[in-house]
Amino acid sequence: MSLKAALPLLAAGALIGLAPMLTWFVARPPQDTVTARGVPTAGELWTLIPLGLFLVVCGVAVRRTPVSSPGAFWAGVGGTVAGVLAAAVSLVAVLARPATLVVVEAGRDVATGAPVEVATLGPAVAFVGAGLAVIGGLLTARRSLLPH
């Protein structure tokens, strides 16, 4: 297939793999604003990284296989499933409430009691990537089934 056909899956893999590194949660204690980002603060969001890598592999498979091959079909199906899983993981992370900001001071955890809000950037990037993966995967699978 062409690079144009593989691009949605490749872009989705990059976005989903990057998403856990972005800001997902914000707390505003009285002194300052605190953000949480990166894999150490991501909890279950770390699963987005292997899903992103899998999507890149699916995109490469789409690029390297003929349109009507079973490989293109299964790469499309795999991309769709990975997109749905990425959306589910992201949705669970966004809806998991209540959260409490815990600051580590002198080697011990101190709960601040500051309310934690969901930031925009991390979830937005993850959901855009998941949407691209689902659409790209479905289009790839459909294209591989059409007569050529």
Side-chain angles (χ1 to χ4, degrees):
M1 282 191 171
S2 67
L3 179 61
K4 182 179 166 184
L7 201 56
L9 293 176
L10 294 170
L15 289 172
I16 290 172
L18 173 71
M21 311 306 175
L22 302 174
T23 302
W24 281 71
F25 304 103
V26 177
R28 292 182 171 76
Q31 315 86 314
D32 201 2
T33 298
V34 178
T35 61
R37 77 172 131 252
V39 176
T41 62
E44 71 274 359
L45 294 175
W46 72 267
T47 58
L48 293 177
I49 295 169
L51 285 172
L53 180 61
F54 179 74
L55 282 164
V56 169
V57 170
C58 288
V60 170
V62 167
R63 174 70 175 103
R64 295 184 152 277
T65 57
V67 176
S68 59
S69 72
F73 172 77
W74 288 111
V77 170
T80 302
V81 170
V84 169
L85 288 173
V89 167
S90 302
L91 190 61
V92 166
V94 167
L95 297 178
R97 297 290 189 140
T100 306
L101 173 66
V102 177
V103 179
V104 177
E105 276 182 10
R108 61 185 181 95
D109 294 346
V110 179
T112 63
V116 176
E117 303 164 8
V118 176
T120 306
L121 186 60
V125 168
F127 286 123
V128 167
L132 265 175
V134 170
I135 291 168
L138 288 174
L139 288 175
T140 299
R142 181 178 174 269
R143 237 181 260 126
S144 69
L145 293 176
L146 295 175
H148 298 279

